[in-house]
Amino acid sequence: MTFFFEVLIGGLLSGVLYALVALGFVLIFKASGVFNFAQGAMVFFAALTFVGFTEVLPGWTGLEEGGSAVFWLAFVLALGAMIVLGIATEKVVLRPLVNQPPITLFMATIGLTFLVEGIAQGLWGAAVRGLSLGIEDEPVMWILDRFEMIISKFDVIAAAVALVLFVLLAALFQYTKVGRALRAVADDHQAALSVGIPLKHIWAIVWGVAGFVALVAGLIWGARNGVQFALTFTALKALPVLILGGFTSVPGAILGGLIIGASEKLGEVYIGPYMGGGIDSWFPYMLALLFLLVRPEGLFGEKHIDRV
Amino acid sequence: MAREIGEVILDLQNISLRFGGVKALTDISFNVRKHEIRAIIGPNGAGKSSMLNVINGVYHPQEGTIMFHGKPRKDMEPHMAASQGIARTFQNIALFKGMSVLDNIMTGRNLMMKSNFLQHALFLGSARREEIEHRKKVEEVIEFLEIQSIRKTPVGRLPYGLQKRVELARALAAEPSLLLLDEPMAGMNVEEKQDMCRFVLDVNDQFGTTIVLIEHDMGVVMDISDRVVVLDYGKKIGDGVPDEVKNDPAVIEAYLGTSH
Amino acid sequence: MFYREAGQFKASYREDQQIFPIRQDRIGIVAAIVFFFLVVPLIANQYWLQAILTPVLIFSLAALGLNILTGYAGQLSLGSAAFMAVGAFGTYNFMLRMDGIPFLVALVLGGLCAAVVGILFGLPSLRIKGFYLAVATLAAQFFIVWVLVKFGWFSNHSTSGVITAQHVEILGYTFDSPLSKYLLTLAVVVVFALLAKNMVRSATGRKWMAVRDMDVAAEVIGIRLMGTKLQAFAISSFYCGVAGALYAYMYLGTVEPEGFNLDLSFKILFMIIIGGVGSILGSFIGAAFIVLLPVFLNVAMHTSLGEFIPANIAANLELIIFGGMIVFFLIVEPHGLARLWQIAKEKLRIWPFPH
């Protein structure tokens, strides 16, 4: 039973990180109505830009290599780059495609995925980089002593950071003027414009926030698995989460992430061995699909009625 | 007019339709007789389009029964309604935007086309004969609605009034026994309205098609319909021949909004 | 001046419903077929036949398959490569396990396997639409590749599922040389392209497009959404499956399941976006474009032009250009290169007079 909980908790913790990536999708979808397939590429871009800056900054500025000054400066610069990337995407890709069917926009973001990956590697090279956030990937001692479970300290801290981020964002959307404007925009662009909400500012803010989320996700995933092309696959992990939670719901993304994370790990441990292992590539998708067949609107989505 | 209004072919009894907590239709009963033009009128949001959607199976009412040709039906899907001879047009034009006028109208014949995709792929013998046979029928409809000159035009390029006409053509191509028209004259100028009125009357007259129509233009409704049913807030508030309805206090109140 | 249909009157519906109603188009198609069957074998060298023309034809067929599903029936799929894999492994197993089965029969059976799998993974389309469906097709992509790797039976228990195509013999003639493989591929692709053209211009295609353009209206005029969508999934997967088998037997010779990965699916999607969504001709143009672009870039990099581009960028140029082109085409010409061709033809009809 201890083993079961160990797997479950490990799964839930990585689920929080899936949710973090999924959150990036949800933010963009709410604001621009676009399913941004390039979110994974943006996570990769963010992490690579951050690592790239930590490499070149000491040479440019004379700051101490690996110091916290370099870390924060690189963080700010990477965030800046993400905002620029987001605004450029909005201006160059999405604005000209306004009024096109959503599926066209979706395909455009697949193109964008390749573009962003190419640019990221073109700027910083394709070599795999290590990234240390100063948190060891070791078992949390008191849990090990108390419950005899191995729970990674890194996972716990990463999940805690993600949760803090969720709370902050929820507060932002619920209680601030910007948040209210954003919700209005998500509901109806035209109507939001007509009551004087500056759509362009809102978009810029959302892309900025989404860039920030992507950066945090990129740092956490990068610190865990190395900053490499495979980071783009985090998006593929987040997609089943989105199907499950719905494209527009932040709580849906979180709950979906937890469900996917937990069931993926449990499935791998308890079902995988009977099927030759390696089932994590498709298991979350199948799970999400089966769920959709029962409830097409997702966990929190509203039932859609066609008006004719 | 020497038309024979026949027996009741569509009988709606105590229809109620809800979306979640919102009541779209409450306890509505009325019938449609063979060969008549039956109008449904009412202010915006009265549930007129919902009524049509119930008749051809897009929406499924929670309560009530629908008798069509004397047989009760329950939870009918739209394609089943189509195969029983119900065709319709939509309030917001629902043409297939990527296809030509001809192809759009040809889709109206699909229920009568029996060959399968393999025969289509080879396009030999029966598939070809069938295509030609239905093309002839479609050309009759095209001629009837006077849209010969645009038959190869993609529908997206047509002006609004013509699109409405193509939509009617698609519905007629199915040779329906019951035709539902959702605001066929909305957004048209006087001339286009006159044309459309003429087509509706001709369809009714020449093909003997029973027509249920929703229309806002009272002049048109009173002129061409045999009987009128009036809805307001999802309830039926009037039913009868145009002259009766015109003078019904409840109807006048719903339209002019006398204070309560 | 030359491309004008004036004077070509149709006296019967039969004439109006020919596969290529305009005489110049008929001449053009026949000329193209003659050219690729008779002239190309005389002028093309081994490299062109093997590395360019054959893969272009195979990808055209796969793109055609995806175009049937996405371009005509409006259901976006990100799993085309997986259906190609089913076709390739299906054909392999029929060749392996049924002695003396003719290759073309095995090819069609392989395609049918893909069609069956396609129907299974098309089932979600009955309840979900748009990008939900696109994401759902990723399940097919990952699951099918996993199955082919994990279950040794499919690859006759070779390591990591690698299969090597058997020799192909039809009527005593062995298809070993690049030329013979090219000609066989060409024949198969031409036949399937004509069949597809016939389908999309008849009631089958009209049903697909009706579902694509407005599903509620399609249902109201009596089109069954379920049957129509699943039919599109089946036929599309069949085309992809046949393309996959040709990919293994006529092009690579040795393939592994991982070769049919998500990247390949994206490539096929890009072919139809660049070539033209909902266009048969576009499938061919798109495939040619996607196969030729890297070749062209490679050549360009080895000329003086290459010296001006930093190595990092050069290594990623393909990604950048592919991505950029997709965005560019979707914005500027969502109907792809095929649409440009059509516009050119429309211009030509009135040339040299502007109106």
Side-chain angles (χ1 to χ4, degrees), chain A residues 37 92 96-97 106-108 111 114-115 118 121-122 125 239 243 246-247 275-279 282 286 289 292-293 296 308, chain C residues 76 121 124 127-128 130-132 134-136 138-139 142-143 146 150 216 266 269-270 273 312 316 319-320 323-324 327 330-331:
Chain A
F37 195 81
V92 180
L97 286 170
F106 175 67
M107 292 197 282
F114 281 65
L115 194 60
Q121 295 197 103
L239 292 178
I243 308 194
F247 290 141
M275 304 181 74
I279 64 170
W282 55 266
M286 284 296 187
L289 252 183
L292 270 193
L293 292 180
V308 285
Chain C
L76 181 57
F121 281 95
R127 300 216 54 180
I128 53 179
F131 17 65
Y132 279 95
V135 172
L138 283 174
F142 297 128
F143 183 71
W146 177 83
K150 279 297 163 203
V216 181
F266 280 152
L269 178 65
F270 288 178
I273 294 175
N312 267 344
N316 291 289
L319 281 179
I320 295 175
V327 174
L330 286 171
I331 292 172

Side-chain angles (χ1 to χ4, degrees), chain B residues 189-231:
Chain B
N189 61 30
V190 177
E191 237 170 89
E192 287 171 324
K193 274 187 189 174
Q194 283 173 347
D195 279 342
M196 193 51 110
C197 279
R198 181 162 55 86
F199 291 135
V200 170
L201 288 171
D202 283 352
V203 167
N204 181 255
D205 204 31
Q206 292 183 15
F207 306 144
T209 313
T210 311
I211 292 172
V212 175
L213 113 153
I214 294 175
E215 189 45 57
H216 274 298
D217 188 321
M218 280 311 124
V220 169
V221 170
M222 298 305 165
D223 272 356
I224 69 173
S225 50
D226 297 300
R227 287 191 301 159
V228 181
V229 57
V230 191
L231 303 185

Side-chain angles (χ1 to χ4, degrees), chain B residues 7-144:
Chain B
E7 76 280 18
V8 171
I9 58 164
L10 176 71
D11 193 12
L12 299 137
Q13 292 156 2
N14 311 98
I15 301 291
S16 291
L17 175 73
R18 288 183 300 273
F19 298 114
V22 185
K23 283 184 176 171
L25 300 170
T26 313
D27 199 24
I28 291 183
S29 306
F30 70 95
N31 61 35
V32 179
R33 292 174 180 277
K34 191 175 171 63
H35 209 160
E36 77 174 336
I37 296 181
R38 186 76 150 114
I40 304 177
I41 62 169
N44 285 324
K48 304 184 297 293
S49 288
S50 296
M51 201 65 242
L52 286 199
N53 284 331
V54 164
I55 295 175
N56 81 328
V58 177
Y59 294 158
H60 300 145
Q62 279 80 7
E63 279 149 47
T65 47
I66 305 169
M67 305 281 279
F68 186 55
H69 286 303
K71 275 178 247 143
R73 17 171 285 209
K74 187 81 188 153
D75 282 349
M76 145 122 46
E77 294 302 323
H79 65 83
M80 291 155 75
S83 61
Q84 292 187 10
I86 303 179
R88 77 174 279 188
T89 66
F90 295 83
Q91 187 178 350
N92 307 310
I93 297 168
L95 287 169
F96 307 124
K97 296 251 174 341
M99 298 157 73
S100 69
V101 169
L102 185 61
D103 280 343
N104 263 280
I105 305 174
M106 286 290 278
T107 57
R109 304 288 300 172
N110 87 89
L111 278 173
M112 286 161 255
M113 300 184 78
K114 296 288 170 255
S115 52
N116 60 31
F117 74 94
L118 282 174
Q119 289 165 306
H120 292 149
L122 297 168
F123 210 72
L124 293 172
S126 61
R128 178 191 293 233
R129 272 198 303 279
E130 189 179 58
E131 188 87 3
I132 289 169
E133 176 194 318
H134 288 282
R135 172 79 187 270
K136 276 182 192 147
K137 184 68 207 171
V138 163
E139 288 291 342
E140 282 172 33
V141 175
I142 288 176
E143 208 163 309
F144 178 76

Side-chain angles (χ1 to χ4, degrees), chain B residues 56 58 77-79 82-83 86-88 90 93-99 102-103 106-108 110-111 113 116-117 120-123 128 131-132 135-136 139 152 157 170, chain C residues 10 13-14 16-19 194-196 198-199 201-225 231 235 339 346:
Chain B
N56 81 328
V58 177
E77 294 302 323
H79 65 83
S83 61
I86 303 179
R88 77 174 279 188
F90 295 83
I93 297 168
L95 287 169
F96 307 124
K97 296 251 174 341
M99 298 157 73
L102 185 61
D103 280 343
M106 286 290 278
T107 57
N110 87 89
L111 278 173
M113 300 184 78
N116 60 31
F117 74 94
H120 292 149
L122 297 168
F123 210 72
R128 178 191 293 233
E131 188 87 3
I132 289 169
R135 172 79 187 270
K136 276 182 192 147
E139 288 291 342
K152 298 257 167 108
R157 290 192 199 162
R170 186 179 66 190
Chain C
K10 306 291 187 306
Y13 294 131
R14 187 185 168 122
D16 198 32
Q17 279 163 329
Q18 295 174 86
I19 184 162
L194 290 174
L195 293 179
N198 275 337
M199 275 189 277
R201 73 197 177 98
S202 60
T204 300
R206 285 195 295 266
K207 273 197 237 172
W208 291 340
M209 290 186 274
V211 170
R212 171 195 69 188
D213 286 348
M214 187 156 282
D215 52 358
V216 181
E219 220 184 343
V220 163
I221 58 171
I223 293 170
R224 285 159 190 267
L225 296 186
Q231 183 192 50
I235 295 174
R339 174 75 191 140
E346 275 173 26

